[in-house]
Amino acid sequence: MRAIGGLWRWRRNPLRRATDLAEAWVALVALVLISVAAPVSGCLVGAVAQDALQRSVREQRHTHHLVTATVVRDLGDAPLETDPDTSTMRESRHRVLADWTAPDGTRQHGPTLARLKSPHAGDHFALWTDPRGRITTRPLDSPTATTHAVLAGFGAALLVTGLIEGGRRLVVWHMVRRRYARWDQAWDRAGPDWGKAGTGS
């Protein structure tokens, strides 16, 4: 990271300019901010995300129900799809017409995806529904929620680090522009006499 490299300008050097020392101070401030703000923001965001996601886990445990559905017929002309909740398992799911009973006791009928290799009429499979029997996704589990919260915390820490480093670079860029402007002014003053005999005598 360039903020650490900027600290090199602290070294004693007879050619060190005041702007070099200023850049070193900017680098030090940026490094301290990154060391403090990034971990703190990551922990705060992670904690908030963990709380919200675990609350969602508890809610989904009460609103998502696993029921047993029965295949009426295979909708063979429909393309195979992959369940996003089990994509890591690479399990193909067939589209079928099925019957199932909702948690509230009502009978439901409709097309859905079944995790069956070769579905036939009368086959049974598990299906996630809401209390009224409408098909829904598998509920979020606690380990997955924790993983998402950790990733959110890391993302927040990286974002804060990027913002601080971007601010440091912007400040240094303005300082360099001012330095170049002063050089141009110095060259303009020395320019008319540059190379003339007796200059500086």
Side-chain angles (χ1 to χ4, degrees):
M1 184 171 43
R2 293 189 179 182
I4 297 176
L7 296 176
W8 179 246
R9 296 180 184 273
W10 280 103
R11 72 192 188 283
R12 292 189 177 278
N13 188 325
L15 299 178
R16 185 181 68 186
R17 300 158 295 192
T19 54
D20 293 331
L21 195 58
E23 286 185 34
W25 274 108
V26 171
L28 179 62
V29 170
L31 188 60
V32 170
L33 285 176
I34 288 173
S35 300
V36 175
V40 169
S41 62
C43 289
L44 288 176
V45 170
V48 171
Q50 172 75 344
D51 183 58
L53 289 171
Q54 292 299 338
R55 191 181 313 117
S56 179
V57 167
R58 291 190 295 271
E59 290 174 357
Q60 290 186 16
R61 284 177 181 169
H62 292 92
T63 59
H64 294 209
H65 302 274
L66 190 62
V67 301
T68 300
T70 303
V71 175
V72 175
R73 65 183 174 88
D74 181 13
L75 300 177
D77 56 340
L80 295 178
E81 299 184 29
T82 302
D83 181 7
D85 291 332
T86 59
S87 58
T88 56
M89 299 170 63
R90 297 290 188 268
E91 293 187 23
S92 295
R93 303 184 77 180
H94 289 263
R95 193 168 178 81
V96 299
L97 191 64
D99 291 326
W100 65 93
T101 301
D104 62 4
T106 59
R107 298 284 295 172
Q108 302 291 329
H109 176 82
T112 185
L113 296 175
R115 192 180 297 114
L116 298 170
K117 290 185 178 180
S118 180
H120 300 286
D123 287 348
H124 300 288
F125 63 96
L127 185 67
W128 287 101
T129 71
D130 65 9
R132 296 184 179 179
R134 291 174 296 194
I135 299 172
T136 187
T137 59
R138 183 176 59 185
L140 181 66
D141 58 68
S142 185
T144 301
T146 300
T147 300
H148 289 171
V150 170
L151 291 176
F154 274 119
L158 289 176
L159 178 61
V160 169
T161 300
L163 289 175
I164 294 172
E165 176 63 10
R168 185 199 69 82
R169 291 188 183 202
L170 184 61
V171 170
V172 171
W173 177 72
H174 279 293
M175 293 172 66
V176 170
R177 285 193 62 186
R178 288 175 58 190
R179 181 190 303 159
Y180 286 160
R182 287 195 297 269
W183 283 356
D184 289 340
Q185 292 170 2
W187 276 108
D188 288 341
R189 287 193 299 269
D193 295 330
W194 186 256
K196 291 183 180 179
T199 300
S201 60

